[in-house]
Every structure is written in C-alpha cells, then in structure tokens.
Amino acid sequence: MASCTADLRAIVATAIAALGAAAAQTPIELRAAIADRSTRARVPAIDWLCGTALPTRPEWPNGLDADGAFAIVWTPHGIEVSATRVTLPDGVVAAGSCSIAGGPPMVWSCGVDGVEDWFVPRDFTAPPEIRNALAAFDADVLDEPRMLDASVLIGHAAGVAVDGDPRAELLRVGGALCGQVAWKAWRTPSHLRVRGRSDGGLVLPAVLFAIARDGAPSTTSALSLRAFAARDGDRAEAARQSSRRETPQSLATLRALLRADDATALAAIDALVRLRATDELPRIVAAARPDAPWASLAAADALRELWIDASPSVRANTKRAQADCRAIEVRSIDLDRLPVRVPASATDPQPEVDDGSSRGRALLLLAAFAIGLHGLWLRERARLRMAGL
C-alpha cells in the first residue's frame, strides 16, 4: 500500500509540474484560500487535491498540516503554498481569484455542496486557445444550462497515452472524482456570471482540462467531443450533425452512441440512415432493446429503409442480430419479405449465369416451328389452286 501511495504522489507531482510549465507560456495567476479538511471533505475532488496532490509538491512548507486551512498562489514563476489566516465563511470550501495576462481578476467561491460561483468582469478577455477550447464543445453559450462528463471530456482531450504516463494517471483520477459538471452562464450589467457544480467545483475540472490540452493534440474532432462528453440535449444534437458527411471518425462516433441513452441512440440511428450506412445494420438492430423504445422504433424503420441496399453478408449478419434482439418492433419484421436490390458480391455464392445457350435453343425451336408452319401453308395453298382448276 505504501508503494502505491508513493507512486501516486510521484504521478501528481510530475503532472502539477507540467501545469506550472503551461502557466509559464500563458501568464495566469490563480490565488485560492482552502478550508480545512473537516469542511472540504464533502467535495471529494478538492479534498483529494489538497490532501494527496499538493502535499507531494516540493513547494509544500515543512510542518504545514495538510488537514488544516492553507492558501495557494499559482503564477508563471511556480506554485506557492502557505498557511493562511483567512477565515472562509461557513459552508465555503475554497475561494479565490484568477487573472490572465495582467487583466482584471475573476473571483470565485465553491461551497460544501460543490456549487461554485464565478464573477467575471465584462472586460475580461481569455486567450484564443481557451476560447477555441470552449467553443469546441459549446461551453461558451449563455442562458442555457449545460452538463458534461469531466472524465470523458478530459480523457478525449488528452488523446492517446502510453502506459505509465504520469499525466494520464492524474487526469484519470482527478476527472473521475470530479464526475459530471453542470453550469449556466449569463450576463449582468456588471459581470458575466457562471454558476455550476461538480464534485470538484468548476475551477478544478477547468485546471485538469487545461493540463489535458497541454499534451499532444487530440485526434477527436470537436463534434465527436461534444457527442461523447455532453450529458444533455447537445449530445443528441452532435449525433445528428454527424450525418453531414461520412468519415471514419463520424462512423466510429455514431457506433459508440448506439449504446448511449435512448434519445441519443435514436439520433445516432437517424444519422446512420441519412448516411445510407448499410454496413451498420447489424449494430443498429443490436441497439434496439425493451428499455429504449425510441431507439427500437428507429431501428425497425432503419431495417425497412436500408435492407434493400444491404449486401448478402450484411443481411446474414442482420438476421443473426434480429434473432438475438429482444425488441418486439424489430423481431416482428419478416426480413424475407423485404425487397432486395443489390446483387450478390463476388465473395458470396453466385447465382447460375445464363451463357446464352438456352436462349439459342429456344430460337432454333421457334425457327423450326415457323418453317414447318410455312410449309403447311404452302401445301394448302397449292391444293386450293388445284381444286379451283
């Protein structure tokens, strides 16, 4: 157990050092006062950060009690941790400010229920990379509640990681502890207000996302990122927009969304039908289940729509998927009565090919019959002439 704890501390220390390097490139100054453990224990991700992550840093002062209250300052020059005499109001886990490139400070506070409030001055300007990241998954919309899964978002933003990558371990633990992040932003005469919650507030998921994006660029498109990470209506909308054009990534995203909630699976099936993705028929049928009535109806419609263009191998796989399906909407379709237009491929059993010999024999018989009939007509004509004489 001691070895595992030491490994985790090394992981956290390395990743926080990477975060400090990122801060050196973008001049960000973050100041925060943290309550003692008896208060912050109700917000798991913040409690993990303060009780496990930060005490492993070389900047952690000797003798400072990790269970007590403390202050942290993060600047381009590094991280500074110190004891604090600031007394936070009852029910507040953390509070502080953030400024970028010497601009006006944004102030924030996080409660014991994980609800966090940001007060952003109207003249606050975020760097282009931050604005682009927010726009990628529509996190910059106003007056609409939004919800994202922090672990999914951070995992896709970080991209591929090799075994033993300390940054990946930090992001996996931190993102999982933050859980789902819900928020809403709106404008007031003096501020841009943001209120949201997670098991790590709002600042910690944002910091973890910044660490994730500081690594190698992710191969996940913005549309796929929204489809995977969103936990609101934007997820189904991202699935529908994936039908604009067929790419390997859009098909992979839609395949994954077939196993999502009922509304999202419905949107994914509709997008696959629009793409005329006949090869996905077996997966579409497998997505139909009794607890997903909308997806089951959509799968039945997709079966009737795409069957005519499916190859024989796809039709065979679809029949097997139908036999395993428990949705009555799909099981009740008689596939043998659905029309088929696509001829068998070269890899499937071929029908007998007419080489023209049967047609030639028929023509010969028809010609012989015509000649015989013509001979009989000539004989009768001759007999009539003789009778007339």
Side-chain angles (χ1 to χ4, degrees), residues 1 4-5 85 101 133 173 182 198 212 216 263 277 323 370 376 378:
M1 180 65 71
C4 292
T5 303
R85 295 182 179 180
V173 174
S198 79
L376 292 174
L378 290 176

Side-chain angles (χ1 to χ4, degrees), residues 228 238-240 242-243 249-259 267-269 271-272 275:
F228 284 129
R240 282 188 286 269
S242 297
S243 65
Q249 189 173 84
S250 66
L251 287 178
T253 300
L254 292 173
R255 289 190 198 113
L257 295 179
L258 289 174
R259 292 299 182 181
I269 293 172
L272 289 170
L275 290 172

Side-chain angles (χ1 to χ4, degrees), residues 18-310:
L19 182 60
Q25 298 174 5
T26 302
I28 300 175
E29 182 173 307
L30 176 66
R31 297 176 178 270
I34 312 294
D36 60 41
R37 189 169 191 179
S38 64
T39 301
R40 67 178 187 248
R42 293 171 58 183
V43 187
I46 292 180
D47 188 45
W48 161 80
L49 175 71
C50 299
T52 301
L54 291 177
T56 66
R57 293 290 301 159
E59 296 87 355
W60 189 266
N62 293 329
L64 181 62
D65 184 6
D67 291 336
F70 63 91
I72 180 172
V73 179
W74 170 40
T75 70
H77 304 292
I79 299 173
E80 179 183 342
V81 181
S82 62
T84 180
R85 295 182 179 180
V86 174
T87 302
L88 295 174
D90 291 341
V92 175
V93 169
S97 64
C98 177
S99 61
I100 300 178
M106 171 191 74
V107 296
W108 56 273
S109 66
C110 180
V112 293
D113 54 359
V115 174
E116 190 166 305
D117 285 287
W118 293 0
F119 297 83
V120 185
R122 293 183 69 92
D123 56 349
F124 184 95
T125 302
E129 61 270 17
I130 295 179
R131 295 198 303 270
N132 293 338
L134 294 175
F137 49 92
D138 279 358
D140 55 349
V141 298
L142 299 179
D143 302 315
E144 291 184 16
R146 291 299 319 279
M147 181 178 290
L148 294 170
D149 188 302
S151 60
V152 175
L153 175 67
I154 291 168
H156 280 85
V160 178
V162 298
D163 291 341
D165 182 352
R167 190 178 63 95
E169 293 293 332
L170 170 73
L171 299 176
R172 183 159 50 243
V173 174
L177 288 174
C178 287
Q180 294 190 357
V181 184
W183 78 95
K184 182 178 180 180
W186 68 96
R187 294 191 183 279
T188 69
S190 57
H191 292 86
L192 170 67
R193 285 290 311 278
V194 182
R195 167 170 286 189
R197 76 162 308 278
S198 79
D199 285 337
L202 293 181
V203 167
L204 182 54
V207 168
L208 293 175
F209 181 65
I211 296 175
R213 289 184 60 86
D214 189 52
S218 172
T219 57
T220 305
S221 68
L223 196 60
S224 296
L225 191 64
R226 289 167 52 194
F228 284 129
R231 290 297 179 267
D232 51 24
D234 194 54
R235 191 181 195 189
E237 178 60 24
R240 282 188 286 269
Q241 291 183 23
S242 297
S243 65
R244 291 178 177 176
R245 64 189 184 96
E246 181 178 341
T247 64
Q249 189 173 84
S250 66
L251 287 178
T253 300
L254 292 173
R255 289 190 198 113
L257 295 179
L258 289 174
R259 292 299 182 181
D261 59 275
D262 194 14
T264 305
L266 165 67
I269 293 172
D270 179 67
L272 289 170
V273 172
R274 291 175 183 272
L275 290 172
R276 304 299 300 177
T278 56
D279 290 350
E280 305 303 319
L281 258 182
R283 297 183 180 90
I284 291 174
V285 169
R289 55 189 190 275
D291 62 339
W294 292 354
S296 299
L297 289 172
D301 290 340
L303 196 52
R304 298 185 185 96
E305 178 73 19
L306 299 180
W307 182 263
I308 190 172
D309 291 326

